[in-house]
Amino acid sequence: MRIDIITAVPDLLISPFEHSIIKRSKDKGIVEIYLHDLRDYSKNKYRQIDDYPFGGGAGMVLMIEPIEKCINKLKSERAYDEIIFMSPDAPVLTQSLANQLSLFENIIILTGHYKGVDQRVRDHMITREISIGDYVLSGGELAAAVLVDSVVRLLPGVLNDETSALSDSFQDGLLSAPIYTRPAKYNDWEVPKVLLSGNFAEIEKWRHEEALKHTKKLRPDLLKDDII
Ligand code: ADE
């Protein structure tokens, strides 16, 4: 998979992709991630990429031209499955959407900064808008890092144990069951006995019940009628 990220602040996105699972995925050639500095596409000698909003109001707005130039350059080099804009006023990222995006070959992610982006970019160049939650960040860069992380870990060959993404929270519509490791007893706190029993049918049953219990308590909104 190839991911091109267009941003006004590329430095914000260096570290998130230089460690752990994403770094290993890049090293293995499973994902390629390219950062594009919007200022490189400014026609202005001051590398200006934003301007005042028409009609007045607080904050600066990212201009169309540098964004269009960058997107058009990328599109002239390869076909893209999706051109995504990160924005708080958009549908919220879910595990199911991350699963869908992980099937794509090439995606562009545009991140907003300052007050936002000229609406004509959203109307004419963007194919999908994604929010990472109902709160406002200073820019879309951290949101893009969250999106990329959620997608890359699903790509085949990224996680060592192929089943581990399948047992994530949300993959079956439930939060995940609690997990434990050694020691079996710490202070007075004991690991549930069933996990030490070696009876895998019982363990699976317990995990499902616990997942259901946790979901009911912490995220009842996730429970649909068809989950029992
Ligand atoms: N940019 C600013 N806030 C955001 C959010 N919650 N999700 C995605 N992009 C954003």
Side-chain angles (χ1 to χ4, degrees):
M1 182 180 206
R2 176 182 168 121
I3 303 174
D4 290 276
I5 305 178
I6 305 173
T7 165
V9 196
D11 284 355
L12 271 176
L13 281 165
I14 292 171
S15 179
F17 305 140
E18 283 307 319
H19 306 278
S20 183
I21 287 174
I22 305 225
K23 166 86 162 68
R24 282 204 298 279
S25 315
K26 290 197 310 180
D27 291 347
K28 284 195 210 164
I30 296 170
V31 68
E32 293 169 64
I33 301 173
Y34 297 93
L35 301 179
H36 304 277
D37 187 343
L38 253 192
R39 290 182 198 281
D40 293 343
Y41 296 84
S42 168
K43 65 173 183 201
N44 180 306
K45 74 171 172 181
Y46 303 106
R47 291 165 58 82
Q48 183 188 354
I49 50 170
D50 57 350
D51 211 335
Y52 294 99
F54 278 130
M60 301 293 274
V61 181
L62 288 176
M63 295 187 290
I64 299 182
E65 192 177 348
I67 296 172
E68 197 203 21
K69 273 202 209 150
C70 184
I71 290 180
N72 282 351
K73 178 175 175 288
L74 291 170
K75 280 169 74 177
S76 73
E77 291 163 355
R78 70 196 59 75
Y80 283 92
D81 301 294
E82 203 84 87
I83 303 178
I84 297 166
F85 177 56
M86 303 309 301
S87 167
D89 39 324
V92 174
L93 177 63
T94 59
Q95 189 62 41
S96 152
L97 179 54
N99 288 344
Q100 285 174 48
L101 297 178
S102 74
L103 302 175
F104 289 148
E105 222 162 282
N106 301 316
I107 61 172
I108 293 176
I109 303 174
L110 171 67
T111 64
H113 217 86
Y114 313 111
K115 190 69 192 164
V117 67
D118 189 306
Q119 180 63 32
R120 289 166 291 184
V121 169
R122 300 172 76 163
D123 291 345
H124 302 291
M125 287 171 238
I126 295 300
T127 61
R128 184 188 285 276
E129 303 191 339
I130 300 177
S131 162
I132 61 158
D134 292 340
Y135 43 82
V136 180
L137 304 168
S138 341
E141 286 77 13
L142 299 181
V146 168
L147 174 64
V148 169
D149 191 291
S150 73
V151 170
V152 169
R153 61 194 302 285
L154 298 172
L155 299 176
V158 167
L159 299 182
N160 294 334
D161 177 354
E162 284 280 88
T163 62
S164 77
L166 295 176
S167 62
D168 283 346
S169 282
F170 306 113
Q171 284 293 11
D172 57 2
L174 297 176
L175 301 186
S176 57
I179 51 168
Y180 301 86
T181 187
R182 287 186 289 183
K185 185 171 178 193
Y186 187 84
N187 296 335
D188 271 349
W189 306 322
E190 286 183 31
V191 166
K193 290 214 167 23
V194 62
L195 295 178
L196 311 175
S197 69
N199 182 335
F200 291 105
E202 278 302 309
I203 292 172
E204 273 316 297
K205 185 166 161 268
W206 178 86
R207 285 191 170 140
H208 183 71
E209 285 164 3
E210 287 295 310
L212 204 53
K213 213 160 74 187
H214 276 247
T215 311
K216 258 186 200 153
K217 186 167 167 217
L218 300 173
R219 290 292 307 275
D221 56 299
L222 291 176
L223 285 176
K224 304 191 185 87
D225 297 339
D226 54 351
I227 295 174
I228 37 164

